[in-house]
Amino acid sequence: MILKKLSILNYKNIREATLLLSPKMNCFIGHNGVGKTNVLDAVYYLSFCRSASNPIDSQVIRHEEPFCMIEGEYSENSENSELISVGMKRGQKKHFKRNKKEYKRLSEHIGLIPLVVVSPSDTLLIEGSSEERRRLMDMVISQYDRSYIDALARYNNAHQQRNTLLKQEDPAPDPMVLQIWEEQMAEAGEEIYRKRDAFVQELVPVFQQYYDQISSGREKVGLNYLSHCQRGPLLEIIQRDRAKDLAVGYSLHGIHRDDLEFTLGGHQMKREGSQGQNKTYAIALKLAQFDFLKRTASQTTPLLLLDDIFDKLDAERVEQIVRLVSGDAFGQIFITDTNRDHLDQILQSSALDYKIFYVDNGEITEKDV
């Protein structure tokens, strides 16, 4: 999928912009805090129906403005095109449309325009909570398997209903009602587990290959999926500790506690990795996701967003990343940086079609190349 034209109005600090984009490389240059990432976030919004950095829609509208709008014209080939748009006013529901027809459910849109974003916040995958790592799995699988979104919704509803009962003291929760929600948790949870497990098994060798290439084989990394479902039937596991759950007031077991274990040389990454190694790990993980989605998500090449990826990396790792993203395996790329040095290196090492845009205080200007 290629984004040919992007129109932005009152999105974050961008007052108004209409960009005609390169089908290969689009470079956004400017100082920190001027709006480069906001351009990429607008592209992200058109794929996922939300901002990558702020879940509250009203807060992405430009200060002092009553509404915002993003519109993208996409093409997969010369015959098929898609017009995707979103508009929202303060205090009102947003309107997300495909070819001017509004979606009844936003989940119907997820996966139409597969996308992978690599950003500085990716180190939270290593340093942050297990929720960050579950979100990573959910984000990728949801783009190629719509039934996964439905299973997540069913599990989350049953989990929430069970937790409400577990907090109930007077009268005590009805065991039969608890049983109903536990059965629904287990049924949806095991479906989610199977899909997550299959995803991780296929992802690991590709991820290790990318890490090996970026690090020039200097380190060995691992990735393991951890789940309560690996201990046996989930319903038995949930019900086995019902008394403990009643005591604490929430569910101690289930796929909402799943995690990914990241290792470096057989030891936990969060304890062993340097800043450069952590960033290399996160980038390799995201590039492996790209490779996975390219083969699974509607058989279309995802968009790749690279936000300030060169910071904290040595020259050799930068060079390896440059070689990777300049190859034929990648489609349309959006990349930000504070200067042209790295970008010139990319452009000189390939024959990619490209455009360069300068960003300053939300104003975006295309530069002749």
Side-chain angles (χ1 to χ4, degrees), residues 1 3 6 21 24-26 28 36-48 52 74 113-120 122 283 286-287 290 302-309 325 330-336:
M1 192 72 77
L3 178 55
L6 176 66
L21 300 163
K24 290 299 294 182
M25 183 82 71
N26 296 278
F28 296 88
K36 304 186 303 298
T37 298
N38 293 343
V39 180
L40 270 57
D41 196 55
V43 177
Y44 182 98
Y45 206 116
L46 290 176
S47 283
F48 292 105
Y74 297 83
I113 308 165
L115 179 149
V116 172
V117 57
V118 184
S119 74
D122 289 337
I283 292 172
K286 289 301 188 76
L287 294 181
F290 180 95
L303 305 181
L304 180 63
L305 278 53
L306 304 174
D307 189 16
D308 191 25
I309 66 167
V325 301
F330 294 90
Q332 190 177 31
I333 299 171
F334 297 77
I335 187 167
T336 70

Side-chain angles (χ1 to χ4, degrees), residues 110-129:
I110 306 301
L112 177 69
I113 308 165
L115 179 149
V116 172
V117 57
V118 184
S119 74
S121 65
D122 289 337
T123 54
L124 284 175
L125 291 169
I126 299 166
E127 301 161 358
S129 68

Side-chain angles (χ1 to χ4, degrees), residues 245-288:
D245 292 357
L246 285 165
V248 299
Y250 58 88
S251 302
L252 291 167
H253 295 89
I255 58 94
H256 62 282
R257 304 295 291 270
D258 284 3
D259 203 353
L260 292 172
E261 180 185 49
F262 299 157
T263 62
L264 175 69
H267 303 284
Q268 285 195 17
M269 189 78 194
K270 66 170 61 179
R271 296 177 183 172
E272 298 290 324
S274 67
Q275 286 186 322
Q277 288 169 328
N278 286 353
K279 189 152 191 175
T280 302
Y281 196 106
I283 292 172
L285 197 56
K286 289 301 188 76
L287 294 181

Side-chain angles (χ1 to χ4, degrees), residues 79-352:
E79 297 179 359
N80 297 324
S81 62
E82 298 279 356
L83 181 65
I84 306 299
S85 65
V86 59
M88 61 189 109
K89 294 181 179 179
R90 293 190 187 278
Q92 296 185 21
K93 172 188 171 185
K94 64 187 170 189
H95 298 278
F96 210 97
K97 299 180 181 180
R98 177 183 180 185
N99 298 322
K100 300 184 178 180
K101 182 179 180 180
E102 187 163 358
Y103 282 102
K104 293 181 180 178
R105 299 172 60 200
L106 295 180
S107 61
E108 296 172 2
H109 177 70
I110 306 301
L112 177 69
I113 308 165
L115 179 149
V116 172
V117 57
V118 184
S119 74
S121 65
D122 289 337
T123 54
L124 284 175
L125 291 169
I126 299 166
E127 301 161 358
S129 68
S130 60
E131 183 179 0
E132 298 287 343
R133 295 179 284 277
R134 287 192 298 274
R135 186 181 296 118
L136 177 146
M137 292 189 284
D138 295 344
M139 187 67 71
V140 180
I141 300 171
S142 295
Q143 290 187 74
Y144 66 86
D145 188 342
R146 190 153 292 157
S147 67
Y148 184 81
I149 302 176
D150 294 334
L152 274 177
R154 286 187 279 113
Y155 181 88
N156 290 337
N157 178 58
H159 177 214
Q160 182 180 16
Q161 296 293 339
R162 183 176 189 262
N163 279 359
T164 299
L165 288 173
L166 292 173
K167 293 182 177 71
Q168 186 175 305
E169 295 182 358
D170 188 18
D174 185 336
M176 295 300 294
V177 179
L178 274 173
Q179 169 91 10
I180 292 171
W181 292 120
E182 288 164 352
E183 289 174 352
Q184 292 190 25
M185 276 182 68
E187 181 184 10
E190 290 192 340
E191 180 181 348
I192 292 164
Y193 166 72
R194 289 192 296 270
K195 294 176 186 294
R196 286 177 176 174
D197 186 53
F199 161 67
V200 172
Q201 288 191 38
E202 192 168 345
L203 185 77
V204 168
V206 181
F207 155 69
Q208 290 174 323
Q209 181 180 345
Y210 274 123
Y211 190 98
D212 194 58
Q213 187 168 348
I214 296 172
S215 69
S216 300
R218 289 199 294 263
E219 303 121 18
K220 296 301 179 184
V221 291
L223 173 61
N224 302 307
Y225 176 35
L226 308 176
S227 176
H228 291 145
C229 288
Q230 292 158 345
R231 302 178 185 176
L234 185 55
L235 181 58
E236 292 181 11
I237 293 166
I238 292 172
Q239 293 183 333
R240 188 182 303 155
D241 283 328
R242 185 191 281 179
K244 288 183 181 178
D245 292 357
L246 285 165
V248 299
Y250 58 88
S251 302
L252 291 167
H253 295 89
I255 58 94
H256 62 282
R257 304 295 291 270
D258 284 3
D259 203 353
L260 292 172
E261 180 185 49
F262 299 157
T263 62
L264 175 69
H267 303 284
Q268 285 195 17
M269 189 78 194
K270 66 170 61 179
R271 296 177 183 172
E272 298 290 324
S274 67
Q275 286 186 322
Q277 288 169 328
N278 286 353
K279 189 152 191 175
T280 302
Y281 196 106
I283 292 172
L285 197 56
K286 289 301 188 76
L287 294 181
Q289 290 177 42
F290 180 95
D291 185 270
F292 188 92
L293 284 173
K294 185 178 179 181
R295 290 181 281 113
T296 56
S298 305
Q299 300 297 308
T300 185
T301 303
L303 305 181
L304 180 63
L305 278 53
L306 304 174
D307 189 16
D308 191 25
I309 66 167
F310 299 116
D311 184 43
K312 297 183 176 65
L313 293 177
D314 59 49
E316 185 175 352
R317 294 184 190 229
V318 169
E319 183 179 353
Q320 293 299 332
I321 293 170
V322 166
R323 289 179 180 175
L324 279 171
V325 301
S326 300
D328 295 334
F330 294 90
Q332 190 177 31
I333 299 171
F334 297 77
I335 187 167
T336 70
D337 207 346
T338 53
N339 59 64
R340 286 191 60 164
D341 292 346
H342 295 127
L343 300 180
D344 283 339
Q345 186 181 358
I346 293 175
L347 302 173
Q348 290 168 8
S349 66
S350 69
L352 291 179

